[in-house]
Amino acid sequence: MNARTLAAVAVVMVCAVGCSTAANGDGSPGRPAVETTPTVLDPARLQLPLERYQFDDKEWVRLNRAQNLLAVACMKRYGIEYRPPAERRAAVVRSRTERRYGLADARLARASGYHLPDATRTAPPSPPRLSATQLTVLAGPAPGSAQARDRERLTYRGAAVPDGGCMGEARRTLAGKGQLGDPDVVRRIDSDSVLKASKDPRVRRAFRSWAACMRDKGHDYRDPWQAINDKAFSGTRVSDREKTVARDDVSCKRRTNVVGVWYAVDAAYQKQILKAGGDRVARLAARKHDQLVAADGVIRASAD
């Protein structure tokens, strides 16, 4: 999918929510109707409509493996031995929705408050041991450098270097002129829908119930995001107070079903946006499929 098509999708997505004036089932202009509101105890098990168009962790591993295989072959053409960082899958959360609506796991609240457990943290991959010139062959000129500003055609030992280096060539092999992985429009929908839902009157009512429950426990927060973003909990050390607030947060979420309401409205906004996208949205699914097929072809070829 080219940049013009993606831009058209983005316009449709914005107007689907921001430009709509038709009333929904409850008579509210522009707000999507919610079909059902589930009672949610474990948000990690939830699925949102947009996930069909997103790459999950395992699919990202396939894309990265194929990109690295292509980059290794490209670097070899220039006589450079490139060893990609070891593949690592950071199991920070179990799914996209586990912490989308804040913390909801009582066990984690007791153990580490709002912080991620130590076991889920992984060290960043070590950079490849290449010279500055070789790194340019791998990834192209650094953003903001004189080479990038002048759009200078790069060469290495007399041979032209692809735009964006070997990594750029690998991305184009897998994704054509589009982005590798989730396009910007999908990322935008993913963030916009949960933010729009958090401002929706139906979710705000649930927040007020949650806030009343928290006040009964001695905490003054207007919504779950204010609790999890409390500056008192921003350090590396997890205090007893943080654990107490987190534990009470989870308890109040369950008592008021905040996650169920928030998820239902979030999903409704995504459905509204995707429905407005029409055929352009269908092409997002095809684009994802094509990238995975291309990646699997590279991986199979490397095993022969």
Side-chain angles (χ1 to χ4, degrees):
M1 183 178 290
N2 60 32
R4 179 176 296 176
T5 302
L6 284 175
V9 176
V11 170
V12 170
M13 303 315 179
V14 171
C15 283
V17 173
C19 306
S20 176
T21 58
N24 65 24
D26 65 6
S28 304
R31 292 201 295 271
V34 171
E35 297 172 2
T36 59
T37 300
T39 298
V40 176
L41 299 179
D42 183 5
R45 298 178 182 274
L46 297 172
Q47 284 193 314
L48 287 163
L50 188 63
E51 290 185 31
R52 179 187 175 194
Y53 310 96
Q54 296 171 302
F55 291 81
D56 63 27
D57 286 351
K58 291 181 180 179
E59 290 165 341
W60 271 112
V61 167
R62 287 155 62 188
L63 286 183
N64 288 332
R65 183 177 302 167
Q67 184 180 27
N68 283 333
L69 287 168
L70 290 168
V72 167
C74 173
M75 294 289 279
K76 191 174 182 179
R77 298 201 308 261
Y78 297 93
I80 303 171
E81 182 182 5
Y82 168 55
R83 294 183 179 179
E87 293 176 358
R88 297 178 182 179
R89 183 182 174 191
V92 176
V93 291
R94 290 176 292 157
S95 75
R96 294 179 185 274
T97 54
E98 182 175 6
R99 293 205 178 204
R100 185 175 179 87
Y101 312 105
L103 181 65
D105 188 316
R107 179 183 57 83
L108 292 178
R110 289 192 300 270
S112 54
Y114 291 113
H115 284 65
L116 291 173
D118 290 338
T120 66
R121 300 173 189 170
T122 57
S126 301
R129 295 183 178 179
L130 300 173
S131 68
T133 302
Q134 291 172 334
L135 282 172
T136 302
V137 176
L138 175 65
S145 67
Q147 288 176 316
R149 290 194 302 270
D150 298 341
R151 297 186 178 275
E152 178 183 340
R153 184 66 177 176
L154 298 178
T155 60
Y156 182 79
R157 294 181 178 176
V161 175
D163 289 340
C166 286
M167 280 296 187
E169 181 182 89
R171 283 193 298 272
R172 289 188 292 274
T173 300
L174 297 172
K177 295 181 180 179
Q179 292 173 260
L180 184 65
D182 297 338
D184 287 340
V185 65
V186 170
R187 296 190 182 102
R188 193 178 311 155
I189 297 169
D190 189 42
S191 60
D192 283 358
S193 68
V194 71
L195 290 173
K196 288 180 183 297
S198 70
K199 298 175 183 178
D200 187 285
R202 293 162 289 189
V203 177
R204 300 306 299 182
R205 285 195 294 271
F207 284 171
R208 288 194 291 271
S209 297
W210 173 90
C213 175
M214 289 292 279
R215 281 196 299 273
D216 290 343
K217 296 176 181 293
H219 313 301
D220 186 18
Y221 298 105
R222 66 175 178 270
D223 57 48
W225 275 348
Q226 189 181 38
I228 201 169
N229 290 318
D230 191 326
K231 292 181 180 180
F233 309 147
S234 62
T236 57
R237 179 179 172 273
V238 181
S239 66
D240 290 340
R241 177 174 175 266
E242 178 182 343
K243 292 179 183 179
T244 298
V245 172
R247 186 179 65 246
D248 291 343
D249 176 3
V250 172
S251 175
C252 287
K253 281 193 177 86
R254 294 193 173 191
R255 183 180 300 179
T256 61
N257 196 31
V258 161
V259 173
V261 174
W262 200 349
Y263 161 75
V265 177
D266 185 12
Y269 274 107
Q270 287 194 3
K271 287 179 182 178
Q272 182 189 60
I273 294 168
L274 293 170
K275 183 178 180 180
D279 292 341
R280 295 184 181 93
V281 171
R283 287 197 286 274
L284 291 176
R287 176 185 175 281
K288 173 184 173 181
H289 172 267
D290 291 346
Q291 288 193 21
L292 291 173
V293 168
D296 290 342
V298 170
I299 294 169
R300 281 195 303 271
S302 71
D304 293 340

